[in-house]
Each structure stands twice: as C-alpha cells, then as structure tokens.
Amino acid sequence: MESLSALLIIIALLVATGLLLKSLPILEQQSIKDLLTSSEWKPLKGQFGFFPFFMGTLWVTGIAIALSLPGCLLASIYLTEYASSRTRGLINPLIDLLAGIPPVVYGVWGILVIVPIVGDKLAPYFGDFSSGYSLLTGGIVLSIMIAPLLISIFSEVFYSVPQDLRNASFSLGATQWQTVKKVVVRKSLPGILAAVVLAISRAFGETIAVMMVCGNTVIIPHSIFDAGYPLPALIANNYGEMMSVPLYDSALMFAAFILFLVIFLFNALSRWVIAKLENRIV
C-alpha cells in the first residue's frame, strides 16, 4: 500500500512538473499576478488574463454546492437514521446509477430541460434576461452531478458514529430528531466538512457538462443569469486550436497547472480531515 501511495505521489508530481514546464514561456513574459488578476483575454494581442475564468469557475462551483448541500445532507440523514433497510435497498442503487451517468448526458439534459426553464421562466420572474445558457444552469446541472458523491460520503460518516452515543441520548429522553441534530450531526462535522471539500474539488474540475450549458462568454459575471466561462471549459474548448498564436499553448498549460494545484490542495485537505476523523473514531 505504501509503495502504491508513493507511486501515485510521483505520478502527481510528474504531471505538475510537466504542466509547469509547459507554462514557463508565458511566466517568463508576464507575472503571475497579472495573469491571475487581469480580465483582458485577447490572445491575438498577447493578453492572457484569467480572472473572468476564475470567477466563472467560482460562481458555478458555489451555486452547485449551495443547491446540493442541504438536500444531500437531509437525504443522508433520512437514509441512515430513518429509512428501513428495504427503502435503502431501493434508493442506494439509484444513487449509484446517478453517479455512473456520463457527464455529456447531464450536459444534454441541461440543454434540453434546464436551459429553457432558466431562460423562459426563472430569469423573467426575477426581472432579468437570460438566454438560459448561464451560471445558474451550470450550477443546477453540477449540483445534480455531485449529489451522489455527497450522499455517499455523508452516509458513510453518519454510519461511523457509534450506536452507543445514540443510545445514551435516547436514555436521557431525547427524541430521534434531537439525537440526530445534537449527537449524530455534531459528531460528524469534520466528516461533513471533508465531504464538502471533496465535492468542491469535483465540481471545480468538471468540464464537459458545464461547458455545454454555461454560455462560454469571457466576461466577469455579476448575476447568476449571466453567461460564464469556467476554467476547465476554456482548456477543453481551445486546446488544439489557435496553437499558432504565440504563447497560447503555454497559457492553456498554465490554466491546467492552476486547476491541478487547486484540486490537489482541496483533495489533500479533505483526506487530512478524514484521516483525523478516522483516528478519533479508532
């Protein structure tokens, strides 16, 4: 196991080193601060400002987590604390099925169902205009995609709470809901936090479905009904094209390097929290 872990770390370092080396040409001509904070994206003029793409990624990820977290938390509580074994036997396979659906299918579903709802119903209701291809659409699709991951991890965390703690709470006269709220959820907070961090890293790197429904417009969004252009979509849409433009290849590799770093850090943080939780349970 230790050899496998060392091998995976070496592979991750090789990937990061390769991306960094490919990013060097643009880093030698422009500072990291300018690349990260500029909103000017004009590759033909040699201007590569990634700020609109970072904002697009943050908006979509934030909307997805905000929409998905409450429902997934309640669903996990129901499955682990209230549902019968027969109900769990029916619902758990459906959650696994949702997790196995390819992202492109979610993207097509977003175009056919969510885009018209956002463009024709939600945006006019809030006095705004939208074509439907927006950050909100991307966030809704992404929230559905990360739901199976959140429910699975939340359920595992709740199952890990010792039954003795529940029994002690019941013996003091607490109801089942009071026990869930005051004992199970409180005891599981580190695991819940780790699950959210993992979901953020999963949402941060999602590409195909988000690329299909967000509009892919290089602007700094100011509303959930604005179009956006998340960082993974930028790489997927443009790599292989316009490579004749000087520094374009290096700019996209720099975007991939930043994406790799963010996801790596989020995963490392969540694993650290889970390890601390397991040690405390043992």
Side-chain angles (χ1 to χ4, degrees):
M1 182 62 75
E2 291 181 356
S3 300
L4 180 61
S5 299
L7 177 62
L8 293 176
I9 291 174
I10 291 173
I11 292 174
L13 289 175
L14 288 175
V15 172
T17 303
L19 293 175
L20 180 60
L21 290 176
K22 294 286 286 183
S23 307
L24 287 180
I26 196 168
L27 292 175
E28 290 171 350
Q29 296 197 19
Q30 300 183 33
S31 69
I32 292 180
K33 180 182 176 183
D34 289 341
L35 290 171
L36 298 181
T37 59
S38 172
S39 58
E40 295 295 327
W41 181 259
K42 298 176 181 176
L44 294 176
K45 296 182 178 179
Q47 296 175 336
F48 299 96
F50 288 99
F51 190 66
F53 305 102
F54 290 134
M55 293 305 297
T57 306
L58 291 175
W59 272 80
V60 171
T61 303
I63 292 170
I65 295 296
L67 292 177
S68 190
L69 182 57
C72 291
L73 197 55
L74 292 175
S76 305
I77 290 173
Y78 171 74
L79 287 174
T80 56
E81 305 296 328
Y82 292 93
S84 64
S85 57
R86 181 180 179 185
T87 303
R88 284 196 291 269
L90 291 174
I91 294 179
N92 287 336
L94 294 178
I95 295 173
D96 294 337
L97 179 65
L98 283 176
I101 294 176
V104 68
V105 176
Y106 282 107
V108 172
W109 172 75
I111 292 173
L112 296 177
V113 178
I114 305 302
V115 167
I117 292 176
V118 172
D120 299 336
K121 305 293 183 184
L122 290 179
Y125 179 80
F126 288 98
D128 207 334
F129 170 78
S130 173
S131 65
Y133 291 91
S134 63
L135 298 167
L136 178 60
T137 306
I140 292 173
V141 172
L142 205 50
S143 69
I144 303 296
M145 294 179 68
I146 63 175
L149 173 69
L150 281 173
I151 293 175
S152 297
I153 299 179
F154 285 160
S155 298
E156 290 299 322
V157 171
F158 293 150
Y159 281 133
S160 70
V161 176
Q163 185 61 35
D164 290 345
L165 293 179
R166 295 179 177 83
N167 294 337
S169 177
F170 292 143
S171 68
L172 294 175
T175 64
Q176 187 164 9
W177 173 243
Q178 289 170 332
T179 301
V180 168
K181 189 169 62 173
K182 299 291 185 180
V183 178
V184 177
V185 173
R186 183 168 296 183
K187 184 74 176 174
S188 304
L189 280 179
I192 293 173
L193 175 63
V196 172
V197 174
L198 265 180
I200 290 174
S201 64
R202 167 78 167 80
F204 209 85
E206 180 51 47
T207 306
I208 298 299
V210 172
M211 183 178 68
M212 294 171 71
V213 298
C214 274
N216 301 331
T217 304
V218 187
I219 59 172
I220 298 175
H222 298 287
S223 162
I224 59 175
F225 297 112
D226 288 344
Y229 206 157
L231 206 55
L234 167 72
I235 301 169
N237 264 341
N238 294 281
Y239 195 76
E241 300 179 6
M242 299 179 68
M243 289 298 108
S244 58
V245 177
L247 295 180
Y248 203 97
D249 175 60
S250 182
L252 294 182
M253 289 300 97
F254 176 71
F257 178 68
I258 295 297
L259 198 60
F260 177 87
L261 277 185
V262 171
I263 293 175
F264 181 83
L265 290 175
F266 271 95
N267 275 286
L269 176 62
S270 65
R271 295 298 176 189
W272 178 79
V273 173
I274 290 174
K276 296 284 286 184
L277 175 68
E278 289 175 343
N279 290 335
R280 195 174 65 178
I281 291 173
V282 172

